[in-house]
Structure formats: structure tokens, C-alpha cells
Amino acid sequence: MKGLELARSLYFEKGAAMIREKFPQYEDKIAVGLAGRGSQCFGFDDDISRDHDFEPGFCLWLTDADDIAIGVPLAREYRALFGGASGASSALGTAGVGVMRISDFYRPYTGTGKAPETWQDWLYLPSHALAEATNGEVFRDELGEFSRIRDSIANGMPEDVRRKKLASRLIFMAQSGQYNYSRCLRHGEEGAAMLALCEFVKNAAEAVYLLNRRHAPYYKWLLRGMRDLPRMAALADALEFLLTAENDSEWQKLKAAVIEDICAETVKELRAQRLSCGNWDYLEKHAFDVQSHIENEQIRALHVMDG
């Protein structure tokens, strides 16, 4: 059973009854679910995932005022149901399960305990942090405060910021994949060529998330998460091929062709979303075209690689 399924099962089997019996006046004020750091919160976990940073349970999110009122006794009752951590922890482990303030849950991801507010926040906060803030599942939230922030982070990125981030990804795709990969090979710098290839894959994947209006997760889940996206999900296999295929001269030629295919599919989607007006093969021109349509003058004036 995956971590999300287990969390949901434990809540409805044990947690709901405990809250109803012990804290009936707060039953409709406690948000419950599982979200945050860890593959289980994305639904990507398997048996191997449980060797560290895994603890059966769920999260109970409280407002600051309700935490002052019932945080300690609620945590005590929760521990009585599930006990302490059952596995090994890493230095940058999960945010954990159990009782926590809503503001404390969001603060590590946004720095403020609430959704980003300025375009600078949206542009420079890491996408993987925003992905972790909005992954998982909320089982109940009658009060709505936790879900209000969650929905704002998931769907509130300004369009100008999305375009700026996308322009940056496109320019790096052009530079690393369409230009530097083959050029490094001609120089005999195979190590540099592989680094260029990795840069291309990372930026291409992140561009796909932006084209889906989704926050890209931590690098090791980029391709796994792509396969669940409604648009361009099939490119995950092509990107994985670039990283895993053999690297002799014939395969290198094939990889260069696959890079161009990926870029062509990206151009199709840019045009479908009316983000770029051109039909150029080289993505650099599309990057500048996307940026030229940004309305906010400050964002439009940033370097094309910024963001």
C-alpha cells in the first residue's frame, strides 16, 4: 500500500474517531491530509522508499489560534494512536506527520507561512518547493484555510512569471541541447557534452511542467512526474533515452536528432498556447519571443536566462 493510501486509511480508521471523541468542538476546524517532503506525498513511493524518512500517519493542520488552544493535547492523542517515528531519518528528511500549524507547514516552502505574494517571490522560489507545498491529498478541510493557501500556490502564479520562467528554460534548451551538445562532441569533450545533455533534459522537463501550469518537483522525480501530465507526457521517454542510451558516435547522432524532435514538439505546444508567434526550429528565437509578450516591464527587462 502506498503512503497516501495508508495515510487515508489510518485517518478514516482511527483518526476521525479520535478527533470526534476527544475534540468535537474542533472537528470542523482541523484540516487533515498528507503533503510535503517525501516520495509518498507525490504518490511515487515503493517498498524501497521506506528505508528512510517514512512514518505511517497523516498530518493535522491547525490555525495558529487553534494550535494554542488544542495543539498539545491533540498531539498527545495522535501519539497515543501511532507512537513515534518508525524509520531512519535523513538530514533533509520529510516535514513529517502529526499535528502542526498551517503556517509552520508552508513556511519552509514559501518563507512566509502563506502563498507567495510578489512577482519576485513567484519567480525566484524553487519550483520543487512549491511542488512539495501542493502535493499529496487533503482528506478534509471544512475551515478551508489550509486549502486556500494550497490552491493559491498551485494555481496563483502570475502569467508574466510563467512566461519568464519558460523563456529561461527555452534559452537553456537551445544553448545546451541544440548548440553545445554537438559542439562539445566535435571538440572531443565528451564529458562536457554529457553535462550539456543533462542541462537540456532538466530544462526541457521543467519547460513541460510550465506548459502544463504545474510546479516541477525535485530533479529525481522530474521524469516520473512528467508521465502523469496532461500535455507532452510522452516526451518523458525521449528525455530518459537521452540520459540512458549508449554514447558511441552512432548513438550520439541519434541523440542529436532526438533533441531536435523534442524541440519541435515544444515549438508546437508554444504555438498552440499562443506563447510564441514564430515557427523557427531554434528555440533561442522562441525564448525571446515569449519574453517579448510579458506585460510587466520589470519582468520583461530581466535577462532572458534569469528565472
Side-chain angles (χ1 to χ4, degrees):
M1 183 182 294
K2 287 184 173 288
L4 267 173
E5 298 174 65
L6 178 59
R8 191 185 308 111
S9 175
L10 289 172
Y11 167 66
F12 285 107
E13 288 177 7
K14 298 181 179 182
M18 179 271 288
I19 293 172
R20 189 176 304 114
E21 177 184 348
K22 302 289 185 178
F23 305 93
Q25 68 274 36
Y26 288 93
E27 185 177 6
D28 60 354
K29 296 182 178 181
I30 302 170
V32 184
L34 183 68
R37 295 192 180 100
S39 57
Q40 68 272 19
C41 297
F42 285 101
F44 299 160
D45 55 312
D46 54 23
D47 291 341
I48 297 173
S49 305
R50 299 193 179 193
D51 65 349
H52 70 287
D53 297 334
F54 179 84
E55 182 179 348
F58 47 83
C59 302
L60 301 104
W61 296 294
L62 301 172
T63 65
D64 289 2
D66 289 340
D67 182 65
I68 292 172
I70 65 164
V72 172
L74 180 60
R76 187 180 300 120
E77 294 295 336
Y78 177 90
R79 288 195 299 272
L81 288 178
F82 301 112
S86 59
S89 297
S90 64
L92 297 175
T94 66
V97 294
V99 179
M100 64 191 80
R101 293 187 178 200
I102 295 171
S103 56
D104 287 342
F105 173 82
Y106 286 114
R107 188 169 290 109
Y109 305 119
T110 67
T112 62
K114 54 187 178 181
E117 295 180 340
T118 68
W119 67 258
Q120 291 92 340
D121 290 338
W122 282 109
L123 186 61
Y124 295 116
L125 281 169
S127 63
H128 66 79
L130 301 180
E132 288 176 356
T134 54
N135 64 13
E137 184 180 341
V138 178
F139 307 147
R140 67 177 299 174
D141 184 15
E142 289 90 337
L143 187 64
E145 179 63 12
F146 182 86
S147 296
R148 181 187 64 80
I149 300 173
R150 177 183 172 90
D151 291 344
S152 181
I153 296 172
N155 303 306
M157 179 186 290
E159 177 62 10
D160 279 351
V161 172
R162 183 176 81 109
R163 289 173 184 252
K164 182 67 201 74
K165 285 177 171 284
L166 183 57
S168 175
R169 301 307 177 276
L170 295 173
I171 198 78
F172 279 113
M173 287 173 68
Q175 182 193 68
S176 61
Q178 292 182 291
Y179 181 78
N180 273 329
Y181 173 64
S182 296
R183 189 173 179 84
C184 289
L185 289 174
R186 291 198 301 271
H187 280 298
E189 297 286 349
E190 292 200 1
M194 291 305 297
L195 288 173
L197 201 60
C198 291
E199 282 291 307
F200 175 80
V201 169
K202 180 176 181 293
N203 282 280
E206 291 179 353
V208 170
Y209 280 90
L210 287 165
L211 289 166
N212 279 274
R213 300 180 183 274
R214 302 281 180 86
H215 300 301
Y218 192 52
Y219 69 88
K220 71 176 182 179
W221 296 315
L222 269 178
L223 300 184
R224 169 64 180 81
M226 269 186 67
R227 294 185 170 91
D228 296 329
L229 295 175
R231 295 175 181 267
M232 306 176 75
L235 289 188
D237 290 340
L239 293 173
E240 186 164 5
F241 166 82
L242 293 177
L243 295 174
T244 59
E246 296 295 329
N247 204 41
D248 60 33
S249 59
E250 291 304 312
W251 285 100
Q252 289 166 354
K253 292 177 184 177
L254 181 56
K255 287 182 180 182
V258 170
I259 287 171
E260 292 301 330
D261 289 343
I262 292 168
C263 292
E265 290 299 313
T266 303
V267 170
K268 287 182 185 178
E269 188 62 29
L270 290 172
R271 290 174 58 82
Q273 295 189 30
R274 298 184 178 181
L275 293 165
S276 177
C277 302
N279 198 28
W280 313 286
D281 295 330
Y282 194 43
L283 286 181
E284 180 182 286
K285 293 183 178 181
H286 291 281
F288 285 106
D289 197 23
V290 169
Q291 183 143 330
S292 73
H293 291 88
I294 293 173
E295 295 182 1
N296 183 298
E297 292 182 4
Q298 290 178 288
I299 302 176
R300 190 172 65 246
L302 293 171
H303 193 284
V304 68
M305 291 181 176
D306 203 2

